[in-house]
Amino acid sequence: MNKILLILKREYLTRVQKKSFIILTLLMPVIMAALMFLPAYFMSMNDEQQRTIAVYDGSSIFLGRLESTNLTAYKFIPKDEYVALKKDIKQSSYYALLIIEPNFLTTNTVQIASGNNIPYDLKSQIRDKIKSIIEKDKMAEAVRKTAIPDLEKIIESTKTHIKLDTIKVGSNGDSQKSSTEIGMILGYIFGFMIYMFIFLYGTMVMQGVMEEKQSRIVEVIISSVKPFQLMMGKIIGIALVGLTQFALWVVLGIAIFGFSKNFYPDHSKKQQIQSVMEQQQDIMQQDSPEPQLDKMQEIISMTDTVNFPLIIGCFIFFFIGGYFLYSSMFAAVGSAIDAQEDAQQFMLPISLPIILSIMVMMSALKNPEGSMAFWFSMIPFTSPIVMMSRIPFGVPAWQLILSMVLLVVTFVGMVWVTARIYRTGILMYGKKPSWREIGKWLTYKS
Amino acid sequence: MELFSANDVSKTYASQQALTNVSISVEQGTIFGLLGPNGAGKTTLIRIINQITAPDSGSVNFEGRPLKSSDISQIGYLPEERGLYKKMKVGEQALYLGQLKGLSRHDAMKELKMWFEKFEITAWWDKKVMELSKGMQQKVQFICTVLHKPQLLIFDEPFSGFDPINADLITQEILRLKNEGATIIFSTHNMESVEQLCDHIALIDKSKKILDGPTTQIREKFKTNTFDISYRGALNVDDAYFAAKYKILSHEQNGHGNKLHVQNLHDGTSQELIKDLVNQVEIISFYEVIPSMNEVFIKVVKQNS
């Protein structure tokens, strides 16, 4: 036991002290945060160009009513200048020419002519301005015509924003607000993280075994410790590396979240983000009045109803279970081969169920109670990923426990089998073994 | 006193018999040479001693009782296929290997300091293994093998990769360890070092032990009653009397250094030959040719095939 501790200490420390580990661990949350915030940030700072736009208003509705902003100036021009300008807008000092035809009220169409590609922001700015002026005019007209007092307020009050709350009803009748969106996001994140960790750390185990075999230190070591101790020390040591990384990410994630919260109340930034979000929404759904921020708030408030301790606990369990199951197989592969090139053939049958899990996970996220999601979350080779993706939606306790028990039983059996392959494989040099030979190794007396 | 013995040990791998009823007995404080051609089964026997693998049948004793797993702290093994973690620092790695053998960190540190000073390699402590030459790495490995002061040391080709100066240094260390009471099993293809170091040898070929005994006795046993003589004077050996008793292997007569290489077919003794020679010439030197271990090895293995 003491020796397993020595081994896992070495495995752990040599990896955690590596530069690549430190860099990846620190950079990952930063990259994640950047992926989430940068697009919004870029959108908020893109347009800094000073522009003057010539406006020809044939309808005379807008004369003097298009207010210049600090970046964009509107200059109304008479008809003769417009005719001249229309011919060579490229040569003129104007950025663009906005044409409002006399029949605007019937067509509801304006044109903008320019030698440049007009940015999306500018287009929507112009559209919004014209829209609000015209709506104001129509509203005033309606108020005047109908003579209903407070008509404006009445119309405003007819705009209704519908919220759809999903209520999850438990077997004993208690209900809880739940969110399908949150479930999908969390299920995806955690399922994917298990997938990533199994691959990342499983191959790390394989590399470690191969390193010992290739450098020929393995025989020195197993004259001091049992091969099983060496294998378990390595597997556990690397699992701890993974958990350390995960813990650091959680801590860094909370720190970044806290930091960005601090940074949120800054008024101008908030407005910027708000305006960016509105623009984004504009792109997606032109006429929905529901502000995105409301939705964000709803999602954030929903996260309070998510059972994070359960999810984190299950994550650690399924990470460890799935990792043990697969890393012991990776260790066996590493022990059986001499060269990296041979790894492919033996890795394929191990990788297939992992990749299958990710595919099943995608459909399980859409239908977490379906029979496919159920069966694949019971089969131990796919359950770590598939079950993890179902947990945020809520899984019956018996299913969770059954899945966990099956996983534990399988990994214990798998460790037993792979340890037998391992202890023979690490001392075999020379030709690449066949599956049959590996099968025979199982029967050797240790 | 016997420190270690293997009795009727057999081991079979899937298609191949690695050891067939092999027995050896190693006396405390001696150097035991384990010889044999490649693939004869030496490594399997060594792995059985190290409990890396278990015999199919037969028993293995240590200090007069069956070998048990805690005995690995009493054994130091330098395998033929050996290496170190390339990216780990030398000192850290030596400490780790010492601790795996059951030393406390503190004791391992103390012993390592002593050895590193003795081999004048203290400057290597913080270097990565990959920065060292092969010979340097071998030195570190030798230290790691003997660090925990085991009773039984097993060296498999300990001199490979060493220049003559360092090979001599290691030879002296092995002899010193023996004088301090360690028992050593020594496996090599270098027969000169077997003659120099081994008190006792066993030769394994095709999974079976085919030769076993004290080194001097074995060489004695393989002698062919051949003698090397140098003499002054004129010697005539071309008569019927001589031809009946002796076989002349070579004879040089060139005035100053006359040499005769001859085999006594009659009774094999030196007295007979001397008697027949002193009548004719003055003998300057006379000695019996004892076969080298190299010759014994080749002869025995060839006979066995």
Side-chain angles (χ1 to χ4, degrees):
Chain A
M1 205 54 216
N2 190 25
K3 286 182 178 171
I4 293 190
L5 268 177
L6 272 172
I7 294 165
L8 79 84
K9 199 172 116 194
R10 192 202 81 87
E11 298 291 339
Y12 179 77
L13 288 179
T14 52
R15 285 182 173 80
V16 168
Q17 289 165 351
K18 259 189 192 164
K19 275 196 203 97
S20 56
F21 174 82
I22 296 169
I23 291 172
L24 181 71
T25 307
L26 293 182
L27 272 187
M28 201 61 161
V30 175
I31 292 172
M32 286 302 216
L35 281 177
M36 280 154 78
F37 290 118
L38 272 187
Y41 181 64
F42 279 138
M43 282 187 91
S44 71
M45 61 170 281
N46 53 0
D47 203 0
E48 305 246 293
Q49 202 184 336
Q50 289 281 348
R51 301 186 180 100
T52 307
I53 293 173
V55 184
Y56 163 66
D57 185 6
S59 66
S60 303
I61 297 170
F62 301 96
L63 275 180
R65 293 174 76 186
L66 286 176
E67 280 163 27
S68 299
T69 64
N70 39 3
L71 287 177
T72 317
Y74 295 96
K75 191 171 175 247
F76 287 88
I77 52 171
K79 186 165 184 178
D80 45 347
E81 197 182 337
Y82 152 67
V83 173
L85 192 59
K86 199 176 174 184
K87 285 185 179 125
D88 58 359
I89 176 80
K90 264 190 168 171
Q91 263 65 49
S92 76
S93 61
Y94 294 111
Y95 178 79
L97 171 61
L98 178 64
I99 306 154
I100 304 165
E101 297 289 350
N103 64 348
F104 167 74
L105 279 178
T106 52
T107 61
N108 279 341
T109 304
V110 297
Q111 285 179 310
I112 190 157
S114 175
N116 308 299
N117 276 320
I118 296 168
Y120 177 81
D121 282 1
L122 182 61
K123 274 204 267 191
S124 52
Q125 189 194 5
I126 292 170
R127 192 171 54 220
D128 289 350
K129 273 180 194 260
I130 290 179
K131 185 177 163 203
S132 74
I133 289 169
I134 248 359
E135 278 179 359
K136 227 185 215 167
D137 284 2
K138 283 184 176 168
M139 184 65 80
E141 176 76 6
V143 170
R144 196 177 53 78
K145 264 189 187 163
T146 56
I148 300 170
D150 294 333
L151 179 67
E152 230 170 305
K153 277 183 191 156
I154 293 168
I155 292 175
E156 193 59 41
S157 71
T158 60
K159 289 183 181 167
T160 317
H161 167 214
I162 304 294
K163 263 172 77 183
L164 180 62
D165 282 349
T166 3
I167 310 285
K168 175 96 186 167
V169 182
S171 53
N172 48 358
D174 60 345
S175 61
Q176 196 188 18
K177 245 188 187 181
S178 74
S179 160
T180 318
E181 287 88 349
I182 289 283
M184 278 184 83
I185 293 170
L186 289 177
Y188 183 81
I189 290 176
F190 282 104
F192 197 79
M193 266 175 102
I194 296 236
Y195 167 80
M196 201 181 74
F197 272 24
I198 286 177
F199 251 123
L200 206 63
Y201 293 104
T203 45
M204 202 182 264
V205 169
M206 188 180 79
Q207 298 289 353
V209 172
M210 284 175 66
E211 183 202 352
E212 275 164 0
K213 197 178 171 184
Q214 280 169 350
S215 72
R216 303 285 199 262
I217 196 177
V218 67
E219 193 157 351
V220 177
I221 291 183
I222 61 167
S223 68
S224 307
V225 303
K226 295 253 164 287
F228 182 74
Q229 293 175 313
L230 179 59
M231 183 172 120
M232 289 319 281
K234 186 178 287 295
I235 288 177
I236 298 170
I238 293 176
L240 291 177
V241 175
L243 289 175
T244 304
Q245 190 159 56
F246 177 68
L248 284 173
W249 283 349
V250 168
V251 170
L252 281 172
I254 290 170
I256 287 179
F257 191 68
F259 175 74
S260 60
K261 242 185 184 172
N262 259 339
F263 163 91
Y264 224 53
D266 181 334
H267 197 67
S268 63
K269 291 276 180 197
K270 193 171 181 177
Q271 272 187 331
Q272 259 184 11
I273 291 172
Q274 191 161 0
S275 73
V276 167
M277 288 197 161
E278 275 164 11
Q279 280 172 8
Q280 279 178 326
Q281 189 185 339
D282 249 20
I283 302 170
M284 289 179 287
Q285 26 189 183
Q286 295 284 356
D287 51 2
S288 159
E290 178 187 314
Q292 191 89 12
L293 262 195
D294 262 15
K295 198 160 184 187
M296 282 294 283
Q297 246 145 29
E298 193 192 317
I299 288 179
I300 286 165
S301 76
M302 273 304 185
T303 55
D304 294 342
T305 69
V306 174
N307 191 348
F308 274 111
L310 175 78
I311 294 183
I312 300 274
C314 286
F315 175 77
I316 291 172
F317 181 90
F318 280 104
F319 163 61
I320 292 174
Y323 165 82
F324 266 79
L325 181 62
Y326 279 102
S327 63
S328 64
M329 290 194 275
F330 277 116
V333 168
S335 75
I337 55 176
D338 276 353
Q340 186 79 55
E341 301 89 77
D342 300 334
Q344 224 58 33
Q345 180 202 337
F346 292 103
M347 265 180 73
L348 187 68
I350 302 176
S351 312
L352 276 179
I354 311 181
I355 293 164
L356 178 70
S357 312
I358 266 293
M359 282 159 25
V360 173
M361 179 186 96
M362 295 299 181
S363 91
L365 284 172
K366 285 183 202 134
N367 185 8
E369 313 264 282
S371 65
M372 175 141 107
F374 171 77
W375 285 109
F376 281 98
S377 62
M378 291 300 131
I379 298 169
F381 291 91
T382 53
S383 69
I385 293 171
V386 178
M387 185 53 103
M388 208 54 232
S389 72
R390 287 182 58 200
I391 286 171
F393 296 96
V395 174
W398 71 268
Q399 289 189 12
L400 197 56
I401 290 165
L402 179 61
S403 167
M404 285 175 160
V405 168
L406 285 174
L407 182 59
V408 170
V409 168
T410 312
F411 89 56
V412 169
M414 188 50 81
V415 166
W416 186 85
V417 168
T418 51
R420 294 177 87 86
I421 295 174
Y422 175 84
R423 59 159 204 227
T424 306
I426 44 174
L427 292 173
M428 292 280 177
Y429 293 106
K431 72 178 179 64
K432 188 172 67 175
S434 66
W435 285 106
R436 250 187 77 196
E437 277 169 284
I438 292 177
K440 275 186 193 154
W441 294 354
L442 292 178
T443 63
Y444 285 175
K445 209 174 150 190
S446 66
Chain B
M1 199 185 88
E2 180 192 85
L3 178 73
F4 171 84
S5 70
N7 312 304
D8 264 339
V9 166
S10 295
K11 175 85 183 171
T12 315
Y13 290 113
S15 55
Q16 188 192 349
Q17 186 80 14
L19 289 173
T20 313
N21 301 322
V22 171
S23 301
I24 60 167
S25 166
V26 182
E27 289 291 306
Q28 176 118 39
T30 62
I31 300 184
F32 187 98
L34 188 58
L35 314 179
N38 296 320
K42 284 175 301 181
T43 305
T44 304
L45 183 57
I46 290 175
R47 284 179 180 169
I48 287 172
I49 301 172
N50 279 297
Q51 302 179 61
I52 290 172
T53 177
D56 295 339
S57 65
S59 67
V60 181
N61 289 326
F62 189 75
E63 292 181 315
R65 47 154 179 81
L67 186 69
K68 55 179 200 273
S69 59
S70 61
D71 290 331
I72 48 181
S73 65
Q74 288 306 318
I75 299 177
Y77 173 36
L78 185 69
E80 184 181 6
E81 294 278 8
R82 52 184 173 254
L84 294 164
Y85 289 112
K86 290 197 170 56
K87 288 176 186 163
M88 222 176 155
K89 285 179 182 160
V90 173
E92 211 181 308
Q93 181 149 201
L95 270 176
Y96 173 63
L97 292 173
Q99 283 175 282
L100 281 185
K101 275 293 184 188
L103 287 180
S104 71
R105 196 179 163 84
H106 176 260
D107 290 348
M109 184 65 103
K110 213 173 71 189
E111 285 296 310
L112 277 173
K113 276 218 171 106
M114 192 271 285
W115 278 102
F116 272 54
E117 272 160 27
K118 185 181 212 170
F119 279 14
E120 296 170 348
I121 56 171
T122 38
W124 299 356
W125 188 271
D126 275 327
K127 277 193 177 167
K128 281 187 179 169
V129 169
M130 56 202 274
E131 296 171 53
L132 304 185
S133 73
K134 183 153 189 248
M136 289 161 134
Q137 293 184 28
Q138 303 272 58
K139 258 189 184 174
V140 176
Q141 280 161 343
F142 181 83
I143 294 174
C144 293
T145 310
V146 300
L147 191 64
H148 58 294
K149 295 182 183 153
Q151 288 195 64
L152 179 62
L153 279 160
I154 302 166
F155 295 117
D156 198 348
E157 293 293 354
F159 302 118
S160 73
F162 278 124
D163 62 46
I165 294 172
N166 280 314
D168 187 55
L169 176 76
I170 298 298
T171 307
Q172 296 313 316
E173 280 306 321
I174 291 176
L175 287 171
R176 195 186 58 77
L177 287 164
K178 175 193 161 185
N179 289 334
E180 286 177 3
T183 308
I184 295 160
I185 294 177
F186 180 50
S187 173
T188 184
H189 292 306
N190 181 349
M191 292 303 146
E192 255 175 67
S193 58
V194 172
E195 282 168 32
Q196 189 188 353
L197 291 171
C198 294
D199 303 305
H200 195 110
I201 64 135
L203 202 159
I204 296 175
D205 187 29
K206 298 196 187 95
S207 86
K208 293 189 180 94
K209 184 177 82 178
I210 56 173
L211 193 62
D212 189 359
T215 315
T216 45
Q217 277 181 29
I218 283 182
R219 288 176 64 189
E220 195 73 17
K221 201 172 122 191
F222 281 85
K223 70 181 184 185
T224 49
N225 304 326
T226 309
F227 302 88
D228 264 339
I229 305 115
S230 63
Y231 62 90
R232 259 188 287 270
L235 175 66
N236 180 21
V237 289
D238 299 327
D239 56 24
Y241 170 78
F242 228 89
K245 284 171 97 175
Y246 306 104
K247 185 180 176 192
I248 310 299
L249 298 168
S250 75
H251 191 198
E252 284 175 46
Q253 278 185 304
N254 51 14
H256 43 277
N258 301 324
K259 281 177 186 149
L260 177 69
H261 188 51
V262 65
Q263 192 174 10
N264 185 346
L265 303 170
H266 180 243
D267 67 352
T269 64
S270 52
Q271 275 93 333
E272 182 91 11
L273 179 60
I274 291 172
K275 248 188 255 166
D276 285 332
L277 290 177
V278 288
N279 298 336
Q280 297 188 48
V281 296
E282 179 193 352
I283 294 174
I284 300 170
S285 71
F286 181 99
Y287 61 89
E288 186 171 6
V289 177
I290 305 288
S292 68
M293 275 314 298
N294 206 38
E295 288 163 320
V296 173
F297 184 96
I298 292 171
K299 190 171 179 189
V300 174
V301 172
K302 272 193 174 160
Q303 266 173 9
N304 193 43
S305 61

